[in-house]
Amino acid sequence: KRRSWSWQQYLNEQKAEAAPPTLFTQEQSFPSKRTGFKVGMKLEGIDPLHPSMFCVLTVAEVIGCRLRLHIDGYSECYDFWVNADSADIKPAGWCKEHNHKLHPPKGQSETEFDWQDHLQSSGYHAAPPSLFICRSTDCEFQVGMKLEAVDKKNPGLVCVASVADVIDNRFLVHFDNWDDTYDYWCDSSSPYIHPVGWCEEQGRPLTAPQGHPSPENFVWEDYLQETGSTAAPSLAFTLKAPHGFQLNHRLEAVDRRNPMLIR
Ligand code: MLY
């Protein structure tokens, strides 16, 4: 008896890959959409006031698909809301696995913090990794690359900036010699970032790094040399975030001429 048609067999025969389910983003309709996150679950995530910092978090409240997150060991006044599909949250253990610094709960040292102990002593559980959205890890920007970026807190300024961190398809813009409170996460399609040389080309002023000996005479070439860094390649700046689909990915699609059929 012939075996019925199967995706797995077909993909093997065609030496093709299934388009990853994560590429089919669901629309989240707030507030009716439910989320699997529950009050008390613990996780890791970006502190919105210090975007360069990953902190130990607890879900404090859930409404629809929105979560109020509490930073362990700190006052409730630092609690913040995210959508459950936020790119800013990661499962417990993510930082260690991806070589990122995890800011421990207040009062604990970085070296002594241990997730197992923390969960055990608090009696809470880690949010299951399946609740977090998998994301494309395509990013042409690398830590240390230089660029010109708008300071979102002073939007009239385009400034000398660096890629300070890369996670999935996003990167952290940091302004040279300023503190991290000006930092922000963006992807390659952000309208706030430009390649080295953009200001000159546009005849606009470029704000030099803080403390630069002669900010009026800032020259990229010299600065790159002094700092031993490279400019982010201009081709890395895109119009639209890359979608992640690749040539030859196989998928199921409605036949438009016969919309009852999914082939
Ligand atoms: N007047 C402000 C401007 C700060 C700009 C910081 N950007 C470049 C990151 C100040 O001096 O604090």
Side-chain angles (χ1 to χ4, degrees), residues 59-79:
V59 178
E61 192 178 349
V62 180
I63 302 180
C65 63
R66 303 237 158 123
L67 318 174
R68 178 162 61 86
L69 298 176
H70 176 74
I71 306 181
D72 283 21
Y74 290 84
S75 155
E76 267 187 13
C77 71
Y78 298 115
D79 288 9

PDB file of all heavy atoms in Angstrom, residues 59-79:
ATOM      1  N   VAL A  59       6.795  38.545  36.219  1.00  0.00           N
ATOM      2  CA  VAL A  59       5.508  39.027  35.708  1.00  0.00           C
ATOM      3  C   VAL A  59       4.664  39.440  36.915  1.00  0.00           C
ATOM      4  O   VAL A  59       4.369  38.622  37.791  1.00  0.00           O
ATOM      5  CB  VAL A  59       4.771  37.939  34.902  1.00  0.00           C
ATOM      6  CG1 VAL A  59       3.414  38.450  34.426  1.00  0.00           C
ATOM      7  CG2 VAL A  59       5.622  37.473  33.723  1.00  0.00           C
ATOM      8  N   ALA A  60       4.272  40.723  36.966  1.00  0.00           N
ATOM      9  CA  ALA A  60       3.537  41.248  38.118  1.00  0.00           C
ATOM     10  C   ALA A  60       2.048  41.348  37.828  1.00  0.00           C
ATOM     11  O   ALA A  60       1.225  41.339  38.749  1.00  0.00           O
ATOM     12  CB  ALA A  60       4.088  42.611  38.512  1.00  0.00           C
ATOM     13  N   GLU A  61       1.681  41.453  36.548  1.00  0.00           N
ATOM     14  CA  GLU A  61       0.282  41.621  36.174  1.00  0.00           C
ATOM     15  C   GLU A  61       0.143  41.249  34.706  1.00  0.00           C
ATOM     16  O   GLU A  61       1.064  41.484  33.923  1.00  0.00           O
ATOM     17  CB  GLU A  61      -0.114  43.098  36.394  1.00  0.00           C
ATOM     18  CG  GLU A  61      -1.594  43.381  36.315  1.00  0.00           C
ATOM     19  CD  GLU A  61      -1.912  44.864  36.602  1.00  0.00           C
ATOM     20  OE1 GLU A  61      -1.009  45.601  37.068  1.00  0.00           O
ATOM     21  OE2 GLU A  61      -3.043  45.269  36.334  1.00  0.00           O
ATOM     22  N   VAL A  62      -0.996  40.646  34.356  1.00  0.00           N
ATOM     23  CA  VAL A  62      -1.256  40.305  32.951  1.00  0.00           C
ATOM     24  C   VAL A  62      -2.617  40.849  32.568  1.00  0.00           C
ATOM     25  O   VAL A  62      -3.613  40.583  33.256  1.00  0.00           O
ATOM     26  CB  VAL A  62      -1.258  38.760  32.741  1.00  0.00           C
ATOM     27  CG1 VAL A  62      -1.527  38.416  31.283  1.00  0.00           C
ATOM     28  CG2 VAL A  62       0.057  38.142  33.200  1.00  0.00           C
ATOM     29  N   ILE A  63      -2.686  41.639  31.516  1.00  0.00           N
ATOM     30  CA  ILE A  63      -3.980  42.069  30.970  1.00  0.00           C
ATOM     31  C   ILE A  63      -3.954  41.807  29.478  1.00  0.00           C
ATOM     32  O   ILE A  63      -3.140  42.389  28.753  1.00  0.00           O
ATOM     33  CB  ILE A  63      -4.248  43.576  31.220  1.00  0.00           C
ATOM     34  CG1 ILE A  63      -4.207  43.890  32.714  1.00  0.00           C
ATOM     35  CG2 ILE A  63      -5.603  43.968  30.630  1.00  0.00           C
ATOM     36  CD1 ILE A  63      -4.468  45.351  33.043  1.00  0.00           C
ATOM     37  N   GLY A  64      -4.849  40.924  29.016  1.00  0.00           N
ATOM     38  CA  GLY A  64      -4.839  40.561  27.602  1.00  0.00           C
ATOM     39  C   GLY A  64      -3.474  40.037  27.237  1.00  0.00           C
ATOM     40  O   GLY A  64      -2.970  39.116  27.861  1.00  0.00           O
ATOM     41  N   CYS A  65      -2.863  40.626  26.225  1.00  0.00           N
ATOM     42  CA  CYS A  65      -1.527  40.168  25.832  1.00  0.00           C
ATOM     43  C   CYS A  65      -0.446  41.102  26.357  1.00  0.00           C
ATOM     44  O   CYS A  65       0.663  41.106  25.870  1.00  0.00           O
ATOM     45  CB  CYS A  65      -1.439  40.044  24.326  1.00  0.00           C
ATOM     46  SG  CYS A  65      -1.660  41.607  23.506  1.00  0.00           S
ATOM     47  N   ARG A  66      -0.775  41.897  27.368  1.00  0.00           N
ATOM     48  CA  ARG A  66       0.215  42.826  27.930  1.00  0.00           C
ATOM     49  C   ARG A  66       0.664  42.355  29.311  1.00  0.00           C
ATOM     50  O   ARG A  66      -0.137  41.821  30.081  1.00  0.00           O
ATOM     51  CB  ARG A  66      -0.391  44.222  28.061  1.00  0.00           C
ATOM     52  CG  ARG A  66      -0.906  44.738  26.741  1.00  0.00           C
ATOM     53  CD  ARG A  66      -0.299  46.039  26.356  1.00  0.00           C
ATOM     54  NE  ARG A  66      -0.408  46.212  24.927  1.00  0.00           N
ATOM     55  CZ  ARG A  66      -0.999  47.248  24.337  1.00  0.00           C
ATOM     56  NH1 ARG A  66      -1.513  48.204  25.065  1.00  0.00           N
ATOM     57  NH2 ARG A  66      -1.039  47.315  23.029  1.00  0.00           N
ATOM     58  N   LEU A  67       1.945  42.554  29.577  1.00  0.00           N
ATOM     59  CA  LEU A  67       2.512  42.125  30.848  1.00  0.00           C
ATOM     60  C   LEU A  67       3.113  43.314  31.573  1.00  0.00           C
ATOM     61  O   LEU A  67       3.821  44.109  30.965  1.00  0.00           O
ATOM     62  CB  LEU A  67       3.666  41.130  30.622  1.00  0.00           C
ATOM     63  CG  LEU A  67       3.501  40.045  29.564  1.00  0.00           C
ATOM     64  CD1 LEU A  67       4.822  39.297  29.419  1.00  0.00           C
ATOM     65  CD2 LEU A  67       2.380  39.105  29.979  1.00  0.00           C
ATOM     66  N   ARG A  68       2.812  43.399  32.871  1.00  0.00           N
ATOM     67  CA  ARG A  68       3.582  44.342  33.691  1.00  0.00           C
ATOM     68  C   ARG A  68       4.723  43.570  34.315  1.00  0.00           C
ATOM     69  O   ARG A  68       4.510  42.545  34.962  1.00  0.00           O
ATOM     70  CB  ARG A  68       2.710  44.993  34.775  1.00  0.00           C
ATOM     71  CG  ARG A  68       3.527  45.936  35.673  1.00  0.00           C
ATOM     72  CD  ARG A  68       2.646  46.911  36.443  1.00  0.00           C
ATOM     73  NE  ARG A  68       1.708  46.232  37.336  1.00  0.00           N
ATOM     74  CZ  ARG A  68       1.998  45.855  38.594  1.00  0.00           C
ATOM     75  NH1 ARG A  68       3.190  46.075  39.107  1.00  0.00           N
ATOM     76  NH2 ARG A  68       1.087  45.251  39.329  1.00  0.00           N
ATOM     77  N   LEU A  69       5.934  44.041  34.074  1.00  0.00           N
ATOM     78  CA  LEU A  69       7.120  43.341  34.547  1.00  0.00           C
ATOM     79  C   LEU A  69       7.759  44.106  35.688  1.00  0.00           C
ATOM     80  O   LEU A  69       7.848  45.340  35.654  1.00  0.00           O
ATOM     81  CB  LEU A  69       8.120  43.182  33.390  1.00  0.00           C
ATOM     82  CG  LEU A  69       7.594  42.352  32.209  1.00  0.00           C
ATOM     83  CD1 LEU A  69       8.610  42.335  31.062  1.00  0.00           C
ATOM     84  CD2 LEU A  69       7.259  40.926  32.659  1.00  0.00           C
ATOM     85  N   HIS A  70       8.185  43.336  36.697  1.00  0.00           N
ATOM     86  CA  HIS A  70       8.833  43.915  37.870  1.00  0.00           C
ATOM     87  C   HIS A  70      10.308  43.543  37.849  1.00  0.00           C
ATOM     88  O   HIS A  70      10.656  42.403  37.547  1.00  0.00           O
ATOM     89  CB  HIS A  70       8.163  43.371  39.134  1.00  0.00           C
ATOM     90  CG  HIS A  70       8.824  43.826  40.392  1.00  0.00           C
ATOM     91  ND1 HIS A  70       8.699  45.114  40.864  1.00  0.00           N
ATOM     92  CD2 HIS A  70       9.656  43.178  41.256  1.00  0.00           C
ATOM     93  CE1 HIS A  70       9.399  45.239  41.979  1.00  0.00           C
ATOM     94  NE2 HIS A  70       9.986  44.089  42.239  1.00  0.00           N
ATOM     95  N   ILE A  71      11.175  44.501  38.125  1.00  0.00           N
ATOM     96  CA  ILE A  71      12.604  44.218  38.180  1.00  0.00           C
ATOM     97  C   ILE A  71      12.932  43.721  39.587  1.00  0.00           C
ATOM     98  O   ILE A  71      12.767  44.459  40.566  1.00  0.00           O
ATOM     99  CB  ILE A  71      13.440  45.466  37.831  1.00  0.00           C
ATOM    100  CG1 ILE A  71      12.992  46.040  36.471  1.00  0.00           C
ATOM    101  CG2 ILE A  71      14.929  45.116  37.814  1.00  0.00           C
ATOM    102  CD1 ILE A  71      13.755  47.272  36.010  1.00  0.00           C
ATOM    103  N   ASP A  72      13.373  42.469  39.694  1.00  0.00           N
ATOM    104  CA  ASP A  72      13.558  41.831  41.005  1.00  0.00           C
ATOM    105  C   ASP A  72      14.485  42.644  41.899  1.00  0.00           C
ATOM    106  O   ASP A  72      15.578  43.047  41.488  1.00  0.00           O
ATOM    107  CB  ASP A  72      14.105  40.402  40.832  1.00  0.00           C
ATOM    108  CG  ASP A  72      13.004  39.428  40.406  1.00  0.00           C
ATOM    109  OD1 ASP A  72      11.984  39.902  39.871  1.00  0.00           O
ATOM    110  OD2 ASP A  72      13.177  38.208  40.621  1.00  0.00           O
ATOM    111  N   GLY A  73      14.013  42.886  43.093  1.00  0.00           N
ATOM    112  CA  GLY A  73      14.826  43.578  44.090  1.00  0.00           C
ATOM    113  C   GLY A  73      14.700  45.088  44.040  1.00  0.00           C
ATOM    114  O   GLY A  73      15.257  45.772  44.887  1.00  0.00           O
ATOM    115  N   TYR A  74      13.989  45.624  43.061  1.00  0.00           N
ATOM    116  CA  TYR A  74      13.866  47.086  42.937  1.00  0.00           C
ATOM    117  C   TYR A  74      12.436  47.537  43.225  1.00  0.00           C
ATOM    118  O   TYR A  74      11.508  46.720  43.252  1.00  0.00           O
ATOM    119  CB  TYR A  74      14.322  47.537  41.539  1.00  0.00           C
ATOM    120  CG  TYR A  74      15.813  47.383  41.362  1.00  0.00           C
ATOM    121  CD1 TYR A  74      16.355  46.154  40.979  1.00  0.00           C
ATOM    122  CD2 TYR A  74      16.674  48.440  41.618  1.00  0.00           C
ATOM    123  CE1 TYR A  74      17.734  45.992  40.840  1.00  0.00           C
ATOM    124  CE2 TYR A  74      18.047  48.293  41.488  1.00  0.00           C
ATOM    125  CZ  TYR A  74      18.565  47.070  41.090  1.00  0.00           C
ATOM    126  OH  TYR A  74      19.916  46.908  40.980  1.00  0.00           O
ATOM    127  N   SER A  75      12.275  48.832  43.416  1.00  0.00           N
ATOM    128  CA  SER A  75      10.964  49.387  43.733  1.00  0.00           C
ATOM    129  C   SER A  75       9.982  49.171  42.580  1.00  0.00           C
ATOM    130  O   SER A  75      10.364  49.137  41.405  1.00  0.00           O
ATOM    131  CB  SER A  75      11.115  50.892  44.012  1.00  0.00           C
ATOM    132  OG  SER A  75       9.899  51.549  43.767  1.00  0.00           O
ATOM    133  N   GLU A  76       8.702  49.064  42.962  1.00  0.00           N
ATOM    134  CA  GLU A  76       7.638  48.905  41.961  1.00  0.00           C
ATOM    135  C   GLU A  76       7.577  50.064  40.976  1.00  0.00           C
ATOM    136  O   GLU A  76       7.002  49.940  39.896  1.00  0.00           O
ATOM    137  CB  GLU A  76       6.282  48.812  42.662  1.00  0.00           C
ATOM    138  CG  GLU A  76       5.855  47.405  42.945  1.00  0.00           C
ATOM    139  CD  GLU A  76       4.430  47.344  43.479  1.00  0.00           C
ATOM    140  OE1 GLU A  76       3.715  48.361  43.388  1.00  0.00           O
ATOM    141  OE2 GLU A  76       4.060  46.276  43.973  1.00  0.00           O
ATOM    142  N   CYS A  77       8.157  51.195  41.380  1.00  0.00           N
ATOM    143  CA  CYS A  77       8.061  52.357  40.491  1.00  0.00           C
ATOM    144  C   CYS A  77       8.848  52.130  39.200  1.00  0.00           C
ATOM    145  O   CYS A  77       8.683  52.875  38.238  1.00  0.00           O
ATOM    146  CB  CYS A  77       8.471  53.645  41.190  1.00  0.00           C
ATOM    147  SG  CYS A  77      10.222  53.751  41.505  1.00  0.00           S
ATOM    148  N   TYR A  78       9.700  51.102  39.157  1.00  0.00           N
ATOM    149  CA  TYR A  78      10.431  50.791  37.921  1.00  0.00           C
ATOM    150  C   TYR A  78       9.707  49.753  37.064  1.00  0.00           C
ATOM    151  O   TYR A  78      10.205  49.363  36.009  1.00  0.00           O
ATOM    152  CB  TYR A  78      11.849  50.308  38.232  1.00  0.00           C
ATOM    153  CG  TYR A  78      12.681  51.340  38.943  1.00  0.00           C
ATOM    154  CD1 TYR A  78      13.128  51.117  40.242  1.00  0.00           C
ATOM    155  CD2 TYR A  78      12.992  52.551  38.319  1.00  0.00           C
ATOM    156  CE1 TYR A  78      13.885  52.082  40.911  1.00  0.00           C
ATOM    157  CE2 TYR A  78      13.744  53.520  38.972  1.00  0.00           C
ATOM    158  CZ  TYR A  78      14.176  53.279  40.265  1.00  0.00           C
ATOM    159  OH  TYR A  78      14.914  54.229  40.917  1.00  0.00           O
ATOM    160  N   ASP A  79       8.537  49.250  37.544  1.00  0.00           N
ATOM    161  CA  ASP A  79       7.778  48.282  36.747  1.00  0.00           C
ATOM    162  C   ASP A  79       7.449  48.896  35.393  1.00  0.00           C
ATOM    163  O   ASP A  79       7.320  50.110  35.268  1.00  0.00           O
ATOM    164  CB  ASP A  79       6.457  47.913  37.449  1.00  0.00           C
ATOM    165  CG  ASP A  79       6.674  47.024  38.672  1.00  0.00           C
ATOM    166  OD1 ASP A  79       7.838  46.844  39.074  1.00  0.00           O
ATOM    167  OD2 ASP A  79       5.676  46.525  39.224  1.00  0.00           O
TER     168      ASP A  79
END
